[in-house]
Amino acid sequence: MSSQDIPTAAISRLVTYLRILETLEQQDVSRTSSNDLAERAQVTAFQVRKDLAYFGRFGTRGMGYTVPLLKRELMRVLGLNRTWNVVIMGVGRLGQAIANYPGASDYQFGYVGLFDINPDLVGQNIRGLTVQHADDLRTFTHTTPVDLGFLAVPPEHAQNAAQTLVAAGIRGILNFAPTIIQPRTHPGTTDPTEEWQQVSVENVDFLAGMKRLAFYTLNPSLRPTEPTPSTTDLTHPLEE
Amino acid sequence: MSSQDIPTAAISRLVTYLRILETLEQQDVSRTSSNDLAERAQVTAFQVRKDLAYFGRFGTRGMGYTVPLLKRELMRVLGLNRTWNVVIMGVGRLGQAIANYPGASDYQFGYVGLFDINPDLVGQNIRGLTVQHADDLRTFTHTTPVDLGFLAVPPEHAQNAAQTLVAAGIRGILNFAPTIIQPRTHPGTTDPTEEWQQVSVENVDFLAGMKRLAFYTLNPSLRPTEPTPSTTDLTHPLEE
């Protein structure tokens, strides 16, 4: 499979379908269909079937899907059936909020290290981990395997902090700072350096939902008419 | 304007454009164009111009846009140039993380009340506010105008807590619980009750970014090829 084969939006929709399946499971609903998933996700049933077909055959024609089975399969596809060792870079107010966010542990995202450059924070104990200096990250990764780095530094430090994560061998970055992380490029080019070519970055905007809510609260007549709007975020805004 | 006129996705893209403009402003870039915005948001320039045209004429043909001006205009369109009085329902670990999340105050989202049903939390002081019992919300809104309610209760309590917000006259709900809030309907129908017809709900999934990151870190060859992925979340996954 190449990146041409599976659109980014399909991955975001898989995340949506998974969340819908989790809600159905909470409601003790054991079966669903592409029509049902489509309605809840506000896409067409054809889209649901096409998205799932990238990864295999999950249902029985005319019979729909078994909720716990499809949920488990989507978790496997997304890589949520394994543990992820995570470090948090930046443990001020934002980083601590992330460390304390419930739910991440449901998916076996486990925090193995906390890092900062602020001498007031280095050495402090947060959720059983001692905050280490960012300069020690590289040494840390020699002894502890780290899969992902969550960036929670002020926006003006985000690019440098991302470089520190990448230099330590971390290949997945979840950026919570309100700025866009750029890959480091070869001088005078837009080609990412070899180490950055391996890096996946997802940028999280905690405030996007608040902003949309402000708009729709001021403009209730423009609200989506569907009674059960779907609930996910997409990294990439799509064209109509 | 009716809800047919402005697609939900256009509102999500406005939020994206605003975030791009904020990043450009941080980088002291004073001018941009629909081509530049389009590239950063990963849509077409036509889409950018169409989205902006719903709300007015913001640029000069062939001259592009002034970054601070367009930013200010989009903030006005989204309703981010005014203050929003917010209550948080549920101030366990999640609600406290939200209360402590930096950035919300940049957009004049101000917390005016914290509510919970847990006797261990009621009466506690968090960020200068005394946690009140959820039963007292209705009385509270008689004396303090409340625009929005942020739901941060466990998923099994989310629907009831949403009803408490709506019964207190709150018309905008940002739901952080990992479940889908349904409007209350007339018995035996799918028609929302009158009070719910006025309510806007946005559901936030903090974990969607983590899940996508897990996938792309496991499948680096499927990563989007663009060097600067856009950075927002959409509530509604779109069709291709």
Side-chain angles (χ1 to χ4, degrees), chain A residues 13 19 42 44 93 100 127 182 197 200 202 208 212 223 228 232-236 238-240, chain B residues 13 42 44 93 100 127 177 182 197 200 202 208 212 223 228 232-236 238-240:
Chain A
R13 284 190 298 264
R19 190 167 183 197
Q42 297 190 269
T44 63
R93 204 176 262 177
N100 284 309
R127 302 206 69 195
Q182 312 268 0
Q197 284 174 22
S200 300
E202 287 281 334
R212 280 193 305 264
R223 279 206 321 275
T228 54
T232 188
D233 57 353
L234 296 180
T235 305
H236 305 281
L238 304 175
E239 320 221 357
E240 273 128 49
Chain B
R13 284 190 298 266
Q42 297 190 269
T44 63
R93 203 177 263 177
N100 284 308
R127 301 206 70 194
Q182 312 269 359
Q197 285 173 23
S200 300
E202 287 283 332
R212 281 194 304 265
R223 278 205 322 275
T228 54
T232 188
D233 56 354
L234 295 181
T235 306
H236 306 281
L238 304 175
E239 320 220 359
E240 273 127 48

Side-chain angles (χ1 to χ4, degrees), chain B residues 16-141:
Chain B
T16 302
Y17 305 148
L18 175 57
R19 191 167 183 199
I20 291 167
L21 291 164
E22 289 167 343
T23 300
L24 290 174
E25 198 172 58
Q26 283 167 16
Q27 298 167 348
D28 289 324
V29 177
S30 62
R31 297 197 65 80
T32 183
S33 63
S34 49
N35 281 324
D36 179 40
L37 288 173
E39 191 177 326
R40 292 170 188 271
Q42 297 190 269
V43 297
T44 63
F46 173 77
Q47 184 77 65
V48 172
R49 289 190 294 266
K50 186 177 164 194
D51 289 337
L52 296 179
Y54 288 122
F55 301 100
R57 290 194 59 229
F58 301 116
T60 308
R61 195 170 171 84
M63 296 290 287
Y65 308 101
T66 309
V67 169
L69 263 180
L70 184 58
K71 179 190 148 197
R72 200 164 64 207
E73 288 298 310
L74 293 192
M75 287 187 67
R76 181 185 57 73
V77 165
L78 291 166
L80 300 173
N81 58 344
R82 47 155 282 176
T83 57
W84 292 89
N85 283 358
V86 178
V87 295
I88 300 179
M89 176 69 83
V91 287
R93 203 177 263 177
L94 173 57
Q96 291 188 38
I98 292 163
N100 284 308
Y101 182 68
S105 54
D106 294 352
Y107 298 101
Q108 306 187 68
F109 292 96
Y111 299 117
V112 296
L114 305 176
F115 292 84
D116 209 295
I117 57 171
N118 181 344
D120 293 341
L121 290 169
V122 173
Q124 280 202 23
N125 188 292
I126 295 174
R127 301 206 70 194
L129 294 169
T130 303
V131 179
Q132 302 173 69
H133 196 283
D135 290 346
D136 297 329
L137 176 63
R138 200 162 189 164
T139 313
F140 179 80
T141 57

Side-chain angles (χ1 to χ4, degrees), chain A residues 136-219:
Chain A
D136 296 329
L137 176 63
R138 199 162 188 165
T139 312
F140 179 81
T141 58
H142 289 162
T143 53
T144 306
V146 176
D147 302 303
L148 307 175
F150 290 0
L151 260 192
V153 300
E156 62 272 23
H157 295 141
Q159 190 64 43
N160 276 340
Q163 181 58 38
T164 303
L165 291 171
V166 171
I170 295 169
R171 294 293 172 255
I173 297 176
L174 194 60
N175 172 37
F176 293 85
T179 189
I180 296 171
I181 298 296
Q182 312 268 0
R184 177 170 285 191
T185 58
H186 286 293
T189 74
T190 57
D191 301 328
T193 60
E194 281 66 24
E195 59 182 4
W196 273 93
Q197 284 174 22
Q198 313 297 320
V199 178
S200 300
V201 179
E202 287 281 334
N203 296 287
V204 173
D205 185 354
F206 273 9
L207 300 175
M210 288 187 206
K211 293 172 185 173
R212 280 193 305 264
L213 182 64
F215 177 81
Y216 284 117
T217 304
L218 284 181
N219 302 280

Side-chain angles (χ1 to χ4, degrees), chain A residues 42-203:
Chain A
Q42 297 190 269
V43 297
T44 63
F46 172 77
Q47 183 78 62
V48 172
R49 290 191 292 267
K50 186 177 165 194
D51 289 337
L52 296 179
Y54 288 122
F55 301 100
R57 288 195 60 230
F58 301 115
T60 307
R61 194 171 172 84
M63 296 289 287
Y65 307 102
T66 310
V67 169
L69 263 179
L70 185 57
K71 179 191 147 195
R72 201 165 61 208
E73 287 297 313
L74 294 192
M75 286 185 69
R76 180 185 57 73
V77 165
L78 290 167
L80 300 173
N81 59 344
R82 49 156 279 179
T83 56
W84 292 88
N85 284 358
V86 178
V87 295
I88 298 179
M89 176 69 82
V91 286
R93 204 176 262 177
L94 172 57
Q96 292 187 38
I98 293 162
N100 284 309
Y101 182 68
S105 54
D106 294 353
Y107 298 102
Q108 306 187 65
F109 291 96
Y111 299 117
V112 296
L114 306 177
F115 293 84
D116 209 296
I117 57 170
N118 180 344
D120 293 341
L121 290 169
V122 173
Q124 279 202 23
N125 189 292
I126 296 175
R127 302 206 69 195
L129 294 169
T130 303
V131 179
Q132 301 173 68
H133 196 283
D135 290 346
D136 296 329
L137 176 63
R138 199 162 188 165
T139 312
F140 179 81
T141 58
H142 289 162
T143 53
T144 306
V146 176
D147 302 303
L148 307 175
F150 290 0
L151 260 192
V153 300
E156 62 272 23
H157 295 141
Q159 190 64 43
N160 276 340
Q163 181 58 38
T164 303
L165 291 171
V166 171
I170 295 169
R171 294 293 172 255
I173 297 176
L174 194 60
N175 172 37
F176 293 85
T179 189
I180 296 171
I181 298 296
Q182 312 268 0
R184 177 170 285 191
T185 58
H186 286 293
T189 74
T190 57
D191 301 328
T193 60
E194 281 66 24
E195 59 182 4
W196 273 93
Q197 284 174 22
Q198 313 297 320
V199 178
S200 300
V201 179
E202 287 281 334
N203 296 287

